[in-house]
């Protein structure tokens, strides 16, 4: 099986999402430059030094008891983890960016957003994101693929297996 570049980079974003401890929504992001080199990855989680066992992951109740004021989104983590300038880059995200991440994406110089899910399309935050992306000239598109899954094996018996794979 040979996968496309879009499938490959979205796969990295999805795989990164598995690092998130959010029990409700795991999101991953992968930033790629014009040479198809990965320059940043991220997932939604607590800021460095904040033990995610000490902070809430809920979505209801008092604001201070919800995850929202604490969690750094995957897109922002990928931007902050970037190894180089992001001018002209493309970001792959498993979930369409919220308005806060949208601002960071625009400011970083990223020129295209490729997303997998748009489950919050009707929300004000997503509508605002799309409006700002359009105004700033940042392209956005849903990734099209026939793939539903790609098997990942963590078992190799010897080097010949790698050559025959």
């Amino acid at each position: 099986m040979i996968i496309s570049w879009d499938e490959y980079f979205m796969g990295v974003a999805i795989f990164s999402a598995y690092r998130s401890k959010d029990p409700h929504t795991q999101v991953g992001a992968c930033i790629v430059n014009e040479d198809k080199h990965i320059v940043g990855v991220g997932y939604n989680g607590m800021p460095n030094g904040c033990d995610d066992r000490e902070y809430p992951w809920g979505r209801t109740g008092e604001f201070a008891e919800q995850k929202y004021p604490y969690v750094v989104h995957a897109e922002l983590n990928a931007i902050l983890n970037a190894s180089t300038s992001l001018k002209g880059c493309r970001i792959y995200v498993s979930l369409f960016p919220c308005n806060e991440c949208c601002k960071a994406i625009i400011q970083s110089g990223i020129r295209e957003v490729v997303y997998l899910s748009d489950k919050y399309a009707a929300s004000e935050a997503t509508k605002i994101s799309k409006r700002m992306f359009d105004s700033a000239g940042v392209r956005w598109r849903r990734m099209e693929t026939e793939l539903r899954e790609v098997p990942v094996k963590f078992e190799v018996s010897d080097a010949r297996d790698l050559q025959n794979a």
Side-chain angles (χ1 to χ4, degrees), residues 113-130:
V113 175
V114 182
Y115 63 95
L116 197 57
S117 171
D118 196 7
K119 72 178 180 177
Y120 300 114
S123 74
E124 289 300 309
T126 299
K127 290 175 184 176
I128 290 167
S129 293
K130 290 175 180 177

Side-chain angles (χ1 to χ4, degrees), residues 4-117:
S4 71
W5 284 112
D6 276 354
E7 292 163 341
Y8 174 73
F9 295 127
M10 188 61 76
V12 171
I14 292 167
F15 214 66
S16 297
Y18 283 108
R19 287 287 307 139
S20 173
K21 294 182 179 70
D22 189 328
H24 304 287
T25 306
Q26 292 180 304
V27 180
C30 176
I31 303 173
V32 180
N33 69 15
E34 293 168 327
D35 294 324
K36 295 183 174 63
H37 295 159
I38 296 171
V39 296
V41 294
Y43 57 89
N44 55 321
M46 296 298 167
N48 288 335
C50 294
D51 187 336
D52 42 27
R53 293 170 294 184
E54 295 178 18
Y55 289 88
W57 288 102
R59 300 184 290 188
T60 60
E62 296 292 323
F63 186 61
E65 296 308 314
Q66 298 174 22
K67 66 181 179 177
Y68 303 110
Y70 306 104
V71 171
V72 180
H73 286 184
E75 302 92 330
L76 185 56
N77 263 326
I79 289 167
L80 295 171
N81 291 331
S83 60
T84 188
S85 167
L86 302 181
K87 186 173 180 156
C89 286
R90 173 182 299 140
I91 186 167
Y92 290 83
V93 291
S94 55
L95 181 63
F96 195 91
C98 72
N99 61 300
E100 293 299 321
C101 290
C102 168
K103 292 184 278 189
I105 289 168
I106 292 168
Q107 289 298 95
S108 73
I110 291 171
R111 302 308 301 155
E112 184 176 14
V113 175
V114 182
Y115 63 95
L116 197 57
S117 171

